[in-house]
């Protein structure tokens, strides 16, 4: 197997990775649809199993890619007189990585963690336990709608993103603009939610808040 063949294989593997990412995004949307429409726990659990299968495939692909990249770098670095069997070398590295697999690898998959996070938020929004507050519908609705307001723009959010660190949500464009402005001044961004003590909001900490967006869209349709 040649360097060119490995480059071609790596390109194919990375394409497969994009398909896995798309599959995980679709599974997340389906699970949120299920919670929104019926909250059939068995179906939602099945979607979680699908996500774990995707996470397993993603881990395996990452190991293949890493094994081939490390093999190429090793051979280029050592420059042996006779080119070794690249495929066997990569396979050895791959099997070594696979032997260290654990369930916690899957649990820490970024898209799986996002799936769990959004599912939890969705269940809380749509099927939260009844509380004394919810007996007074006016109070419940008012409190819910307060969560729709961006702390930066003071307007109802259209594309909310949630901060993974402190859990607060903001309008995507507004928080990104704030981060960019402060970055130019070489300053950190304090979470704009009143009372929050988080003082270093980063773009990498923000994820789309699909559960909140669905709730806002649902409210707007009524």
């Amino acid at each position: 197997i040649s360097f060119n063949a490995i480059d071609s294989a790596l390109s194919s593997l990375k394409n497969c990775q994009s398909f896995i990412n798309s599959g995980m995004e679709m599974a997340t949307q389906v699970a949120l649809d299920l919670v929104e429409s019926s909250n059939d726990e068995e179906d939602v659990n099945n979607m979680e199993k699908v996500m774990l299968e995707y996470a397993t495939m993603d881990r395996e692909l990452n190991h293949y890619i890493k094994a081939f990249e490390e093999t190429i770098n090793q051979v280029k670095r050592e420059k042996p007189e006779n080119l070794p069997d690249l495929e066997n070398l990569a396979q050895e590295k791959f099997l070594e990585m696979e032997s260290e697999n654990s369930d916690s690898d899957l649990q820490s998959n970024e898209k799986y963690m996002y799936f769990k996070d959004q599912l939890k938020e969705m269940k809380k929004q749509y099927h939260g336990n009844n509380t004394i507050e919810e007996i007074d519908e006016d109070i419940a609705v008012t409190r819910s709608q307060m969560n729709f307001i961006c702390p930066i723009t003071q307007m109802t959010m259209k594309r909310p993103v949630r901060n993974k660190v402190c859990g607060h949500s903001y309008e995507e464009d507004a928080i990104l603009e704030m981060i960019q402005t402060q970055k130019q001044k070489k300053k950190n961004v304090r979470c704009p939610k009143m009372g929050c003590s988080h003082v270093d909001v980063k773009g990498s900490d923000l994820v789309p808040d699909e559960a909140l967006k669905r709730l806002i869209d649902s409210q707007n349709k009524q």
Side-chain angles (χ1 to χ4, degrees), residues 189-213:
V189 175
R190 174 183 281 276
C191 174
K193 186 77 173 178
M194 192 177 291
C196 182
S197 59
H198 183 45
V199 293
D200 189 13
V201 180
K202 295 185 175 75
S204 57
D205 293 330
L206 305 174
V207 292
D209 197 337
E210 181 65 27
L212 181 57
K213 185 179 186 303

Side-chain angles (χ1 to χ4, degrees), residues 22-39:
S22 298
M24 292 180 95
E25 285 166 11
M26 196 175 295
T28 301
Q29 294 297 329
V30 170
L32 295 179
D33 285 342
L34 288 167
V35 174
E36 189 175 355
S37 59
S38 63
N39 199 29

Side-chain angles (χ1 to χ4, degrees), residues 106-118:
L106 305 181
Q107 302 291 334
S108 60
N109 176 283
E110 196 171 326
K111 286 199 178 291
Y112 176 73
M113 285 167 69
Y114 177 72
F115 169 87
K116 293 288 286 181
D117 173 69
Q118 288 294 292

Side-chain angles (χ1 to χ4, degrees), residues 177-189:
E177 185 180 342
M178 183 181 275
I179 291 170
Q180 185 61 30
T181 302
Q182 292 299 87
K183 187 179 177 184
Q184 288 168 356
K185 297 176 184 175
K186 294 185 167 54
K187 291 183 178 178
N188 290 343
V189 175

Side-chain angles (χ1 to χ4, degrees):
I1 187 167
S2 66
F3 282 127
N4 285 343
I6 286 184
D7 284 339
S8 175
L10 280 173
S11 178
S12 297
L13 289 173
K14 285 171 183 175
N15 277 340
C16 290
Q17 226 167 10
S18 69
F19 292 132
I20 288 173
N21 285 338
S22 298
M24 292 180 95
E25 285 166 11
M26 196 175 295
T28 301
Q29 294 297 329
V30 170
L32 295 179
D33 285 342
L34 288 167
V35 174
E36 189 175 355
S37 59
S38 63
N39 199 29
D40 188 318
E41 202 62 34
E42 188 180 346
D43 287 342
V44 173
N45 288 340
N46 284 336
M47 292 317 299
E48 183 168 353
K49 288 174 188 170
V50 169
M51 286 295 287
L52 284 170
E53 286 173 14
Y54 273 127
T56 305
M57 287 189 282
D58 188 53
R59 178 179 63 188
E60 191 173 317
L61 264 178
N62 279 328
H63 285 167
Y64 263 122
I65 291 169
K66 194 175 176 186
F68 275 116
E69 287 176 341
E70 283 185 5
T71 299
I72 290 173
N73 290 336
Q74 180 186 331
V75 171
K76 285 181 177 177
R77 189 173 59 249
E78 294 173 358
K79 297 178 181 173
E81 285 185 22
N82 298 314
L83 197 63
D85 188 325
L86 300 178
E87 195 170 2
N88 274 349
L89 265 180
Q91 186 70 10
E92 282 172 19
K93 288 181 187 294
F94 168 74
L95 291 174
E96 188 182 334
M97 291 176 199
E98 285 286 292
S99 69
E100 294 172 5
N101 286 346
S102 71
D103 289 344
S104 62
D105 299 340
L106 305 181
Q107 302 291 334
S108 60
N109 176 283
E110 196 171 326
K111 286 199 178 291
Y112 176 73
M113 285 167 69
Y114 177 72
F115 169 87
K116 293 288 286 181
D117 173 69
Q118 288 294 292
L119 211 56
K120 178 181 162 190
E121 286 300 308
M122 199 73 172
K123 287 177 178 177
K124 196 161 69 179
Q125 300 281 11
Y126 280 85
H127 306 284
N129 296 326
N130 289 332
T131 63
I132 296 168
E133 287 173 357
E134 285 175 307
I135 292 171
D136 187 331
E137 288 185 10
D138 289 338
I139 292 175
V141 169
T142 304
R143 288 190 174 221
S144 178
Q145 287 176 342
M146 278 168 62
N147 294 330
F148 298 171
I149 304 297
C150 170
I152 305 166
T153 65
Q154 295 302 312
M155 294 171 67
T156 301
M157 290 179 273
K158 293 178 181 174
R159 287 196 305 180
V161 289
R162 196 151 67 85
N163 191 325
K164 291 186 288 186
V165 178
C166 63
H168 293 127
S169 295
Y170 334 96
E171 182 65 53
E172 183 178 26
D173 290 344
I175 188 65
L176 290 178
E177 185 180 342
M178 183 181 275
I179 291 170
Q180 185 61 30
T181 302
Q182 292 299 87
K183 187 179 177 184
Q184 288 168 356
K185 297 176 184 175
K186 294 185 167 54
K187 291 183 178 178
N188 290 343
V189 175
R190 174 183 281 276
C191 174
K193 186 77 173 178
M194 192 177 291
C196 182
S197 59
H198 183 45
V199 293
D200 189 13
V201 180
K202 295 185 175 75
S204 57
D205 293 330
L206 305 174
V207 292
D209 197 337
E210 181 65 27
L212 181 57
K213 185 179 186 303
R214 283 167 178 253
L215 203 61
I216 292 170
D217 290 346
S218 172
Q219 187 71 30
N220 288 339
K221 286 174 187 172
Q222 289 176 12

